[in-house]
C-alpha cells in the first residue's frame, strides 16, 4: 500500500533470500513438486506463502499484511474467516463432518440455488468446479447420445481432459482466427481427447453457426463461460448467446454455462444478466463458503440422467465427500448473506473501481485496461478493444501483467499474476481508495521500466 508520503510500502520482504518464505520453499520443495500443490502459484524466486487472513486482509509468513484482492481465485466473496460461516461450520463440526447418507444441509443449499438461478430446475453437488464441468459434459453426452463438445478459445473450465483444450493457445499453434485449432493446454492429455473437443472464437456467431452445423450429428454440447476470466472477462456481444442458443436448439445440442466464477456477477448468476437459456449450468467457488465445492444443475429433463430411478441413459455420480454437510453449511451461510442488496453494493463498488482504474491507465501512457462485471475485475495488459481471446495477447503483454502483479504485491495488494482480481464484502470506500492509489503507484513504477 502507499505510505502517507506517497511512496510504495515495499511489502515484498518475502523475496529476500533469508525470508521465511525462502526457507519454507526450500523445505517444501523436498516434499511437494515446485513447493506448492497449485501450478498457478509458482513464481520466481519462490512462491508467497501465507500465515492467515481476516476479512479482506491476508498476512504472509514475514508478517506483512496485504489487501487480498484475489480471495482464493475469487472463491471467498466475504473474504477470510467470515463470522457467519465460522459459526455455522463450528456448529456443524460438532455434529459430524461427513456421512454415507444425505443431510438436511444439502437440500437447503440446493433450494437456495434453484430459487435464484434461472436455468436450474434441479442441482447435484460435487467437490470442485472441475468435477462439476466433467459431470455436466457426461450428462450432456448421456442425454444426447453424442460424444463431441465445443468450447471457446481462451476459456478455462478446470483440468478435466476434454476441456483442458485451447485455453492458453499461442500464435504458432492456434490456427485461423475464425476456426481455432484444438491444442492441448497441459501435458498428459491423450491426443484423441484433444481432437474430440472443437474450438470456437468468442463473439463470432457466423463461425459458431458454421462449425456447429458441420458437426451437428456428433455434438453433445457447447460449453460457454458467459464472462470468461482467462479470456479477459470480455462480455458476450449483443445477440451472440441467443444465436448460439438458436443453432444448438435446432440440432438438439445442449448449451452448458460454466458459472464457476461468474456466479459472482449477481444474485441469479451471469445468466440472469446476459440471458442465454442454458440447459446445464456448472457452479463452484463462492457457493462453497470457502470449502471445496462444485455443482451441476439444469433443466429437469437433462438432470434426470443423474436420477438413479430413471430408465435409459444414466450417469453414475457418487463422490465420498460430495454434498458433505460442512461445505453445504458454509455455502448456505455465505450465499444467504449475499442477498440482492449485497450483490448490488459490490457491483456498484466494482463498476466505480473499474472506471477509476481505467482512467489511471489512460493517463499513465501504459498499455492496459480493466475489464470485469460485478465484483470481478481484471487487468488486461493491452489497450485495444477486446472482442475475443486473441485480442488480449500481444508481444510483451504477459511480462507487463507479471510486472504489474509484482509491483502491486510490493505496494501491498494481492491480485493474480495474470491480472485477475475481485472485491469482497468486508471492503468499502477506504479499500477502493487504497487500490486506486496503489495501482497509480504501480503504474508509475512500470513507466520507469
Ligand atoms: C470458469 C471455471 N470453470 C471451472 C473451474 C475449475 O474449478 P476448480 O478450480 O474448483 O476445479 C474454474 C477455476 O478457476 C473456472 O474459473
Amino acid at each position: 500500500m502507499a505510505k502517507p508520503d506517497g511512496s510504495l510500502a515495499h511489502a515484498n520482504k518475502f523475496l529476500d533470500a533469508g525470508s521465511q518464505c525462502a526457507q519454507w520453499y526450500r523445505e517444501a520443495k523436498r516434499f511437494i513438486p515446485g513447493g506448492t500443490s497449485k501450478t498457478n502459484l509458482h513464481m520466481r524466486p519462490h512462491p508467497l506463502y501465507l500465515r492467515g487472513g481476516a476479512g479482506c486482509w491476508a498476512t504472509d509468513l514475514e508478517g506483512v499484511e496485504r489487501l487480498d484482492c484475489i480471495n482464493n481465485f475469487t472463491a471467498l466473496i466475504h473474504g477470510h474467516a467470515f463470522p457467519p460461516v465460522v459459526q455455522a461450520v463450528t456448529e456443524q463440526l460438532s455434529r459430524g463432518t461427513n456421512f454415507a447418507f444425505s443431510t438436511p444441509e444439502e437440500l437447503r443449499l440446493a433450494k437456495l440455488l434453484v430459487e435464484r438461478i434461472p436455468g436450474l430446475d434441479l442441482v447435484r453437488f460435487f467437490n470442485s468446479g472441475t468435477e462439476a464441468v466433467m459431470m455436466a459434459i457426461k450428462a450432456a453426452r448421456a442425454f444426447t447420445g453424442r460424444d463431441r463438445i465445443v468450447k471457446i478459445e481462451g476459456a478455462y473450465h478446470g483440468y478435466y481432459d476434454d476441456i483442458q483444450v485451447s485455453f492458453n493457445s499461442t500464435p504458432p499453434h492456434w490456427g485461423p482466427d475464425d476456426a481455432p485449432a484444438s491444442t492441448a493446454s497441459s501435458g498428459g492429455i491423450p491426443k484423441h481427447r484433444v481432437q474430440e473437443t472443437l474450438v470456437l472464437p468468442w463473439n463470432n456467431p457466423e463461425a459458431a453457426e458454421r462449425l456447429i452445423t458441420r458437426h451437428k450429428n456428433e455434438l453433445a454440447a457447447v460449453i460457454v463461460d458467459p464472462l470468461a476470466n482467462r479470456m479477459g472477462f470480455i462480455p458476450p456481444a449483443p445477440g451472440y448467446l441467443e444465436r448460439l442458443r438458436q443453432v444448438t436448439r435446432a440440432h438438439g445440442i445442449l448449451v452448458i454455462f460454466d458459472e464457476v466464477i461468474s456466479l459472482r456477477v449477481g444474485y441469479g448468476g451471469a445468466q440472469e444478466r446476459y440471458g442465454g437459456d442454458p440447459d446445464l449450468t456448472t457452479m463452484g467457488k463462492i457457493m462453497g463458503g470457502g470449502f471445496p465445492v462444485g455443482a451441476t444443475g439444469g433443466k429437469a429433463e437433462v438432470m434426470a440422467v443423474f436420477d438413479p430411478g430413471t430408465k435409459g441413459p444414466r450417469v453414475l455420480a457418487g463422490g465420498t465427500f460430495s454434498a458433505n454437510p460442512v461445505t453445504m453449511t458454509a455455502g448456505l451461510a455465505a450465499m444467504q448473506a449475499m442477498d440482492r442488496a449485497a450483490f448490488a453494493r459490490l457491483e456498484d463498488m466494482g463498476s466505480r473501481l473499474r472506471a477509476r482504474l481505467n482512467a489511471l491507465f489512460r493517463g499513465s501512457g501504459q498499455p492496459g485496461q480493466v475489464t470485469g462485471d460485478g465484483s470481478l475485475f481484471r487487468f488486461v495488459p493491452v489497450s485495444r478493444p477486446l472482442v475475443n481471446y486473441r485480442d488480449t495477447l500481444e508481444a510483451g503483454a504477459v511480462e507487463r501483467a507479471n510486472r504489474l502483479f509484482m509491483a502491486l504485491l510490493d505496494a501491498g495488494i494481492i491480485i493474480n499474476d495474470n491480472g485477475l482480481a475481485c472485491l469482497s464484502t468486508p471492503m468499502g470506500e477506504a479499500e477502493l481508495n487504497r487500490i486506486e492509489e496503489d495501482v497509480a503507484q504501480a503504474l508509475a513504477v512500470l513507466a520507469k521500466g
Side-chain angles (χ1 to χ4, degrees), residues 128-130 133 156-159 225 258 260-261 285 293:
S128 69
T130 297
V133 168
Y156 176 73
H157 300 285
Y159 48 92
D225 180 341
D258 182 355
V260 168
I261 284 192
K285 300 208 192 249
V293 79

Side-chain angles (χ1 to χ4, degrees), residues 53-134:
C56 52
W57 296 93
T59 310
D60 73 13
L61 291 190
E62 321 310 317
V64 172
E65 278 201 340
R66 291 183 180 81
L67 187 64
D68 189 353
C69 290
I70 188 60
N71 290 293
N72 193 21
F73 300 101
T74 76
L76 304 168
I77 199 158
H78 300 293
H80 305 283
F82 180 52
V85 169
V86 172
Q87 189 186 338
V89 168
T90 306
E91 284 168 20
Q92 183 59 48
L93 290 179
S94 61
R95 290 197 298 270
T97 55
N98 45 89
F99 306 94
F101 297 92
S102 291
T103 61
E105 288 72 27
E106 179 183 6
L107 170 60
R108 291 194 190 113
L109 187 57
K111 260 178 102 170
L112 180 143
L113 293 172
V114 168
E115 280 166 11
R116 288 184 181 197
I117 316 293
L120 304 192
D121 295 331
L122 297 166
V123 66
R124 267 261 181 143
F125 293 105
F126 306 104
N127 298 298
S128 69
T130 297
E131 245 187 273
V133 168
M134 175 175 89

Side-chain angles (χ1 to χ4, degrees), residues 7 21 158 224 250 257 350 360:
S7 62
C21 285
V224 171
F257 266 23
L360 282 182

Side-chain angles (χ1 to χ4, degrees), residues 172-212:
H173 308 289
W174 69 18
D177 284 351
D178 62 349
S182 302
T183 63
S185 293
S186 165
I189 306 175
K191 289 185 192 59
H192 70 272
R193 295 288 284 273
V194 176
Q195 294 314 317
E196 279 299 288
T197 300
L198 300 169
V199 180
L200 281 174
W202 184 234
N203 279 336
N204 182 335
E206 291 76 29
E209 208 155 330
R210 254 194 326 272
L211 184 90
I212 291 169

